[in-house]
Amino acid sequence: QVQVVASGGGLVQAGGSLTLSCAASGAIQSLNTAAWYRQAPEKQRELVAVITDGEATNYADSVKGRFIVSKDNSLHTAYLQMTSLKPEDTAVYYCNLQGTRWMTTNGFNSWGQGTQVTVSS
């Protein structure tokens, strides 16, 4: 069983910065892909950023140039560095980690619990 914990959320002022972490634990052989999503009240979940096994990244247009997604495969952890934060970035941020596991051909695809980011104006 692979478990994922998201952390790092909080309250920041507009223009500030915040870094989120997403750590996986369990019988992990390899962390391959990490994705960050966010969901604001009364809005659908939005894909924010993705980093692939080949280290390619993709970002939602709304966060390009402001957010950076990265991962440390040895630590089984993904990160989302957020800068120049705007009130519209306020949401619960969720991470999804995918990879391989020891002793099985079945990979994992696990979600963190979400962490609240609030940006004040």
Side-chain angles (χ1 to χ4, degrees):
Q1 185 83 343
V2 174
Q3 293 182 295
V4 174
V5 176
S7 62
L11 174 64
V12 297
Q13 289 186 280
S17 300
L18 205 60
T19 297
L20 307 181
S21 298
C22 182
S25 61
I28 301 167
Q29 182 180 35
S30 175
L31 171 61
N32 293 336
T33 300
W36 288 93
Y37 297 79
R38 66 186 181 187
Q39 187 167 22
E42 300 183 341
K43 293 184 178 180
Q44 289 191 305
R45 186 180 64 181
E46 174 189 22
L47 179 62
V48 175
V50 176
I51 183 166
T52 70
D53 185 46
E55 306 299 323
T57 58
N58 286 287
Y59 299 92
D61 288 341
S62 59
V63 306
K64 284 182 179 177
R66 300 188 298 118
F67 290 11
I68 298 175
V69 61
S70 61
K71 60 186 175 76
D72 187 328
N73 293 336
S74 67
L75 297 179
H76 306 148
T77 301
Y79 307 92
L80 185 66
Q81 300 175 70
M82 305 183 294
T83 60
S84 301
L85 284 163
K86 305 174 181 179
E88 50 263 45
D89 294 319
T90 296
V92 177
Y93 284 71
Y94 300 91
C95 58
N96 173 258
L97 302 181
Q98 301 174 43
T100 59
R101 299 185 293 171
W102 294 110
M103 303 298 292
T104 179
T105 57
N106 299 127
F108 68 88
N109 184 335
S110 301
W111 289 84
Q113 82 285 4
T115 183
Q116 176 71 48
V117 173
T118 302
V119 184
S120 62
S121 60

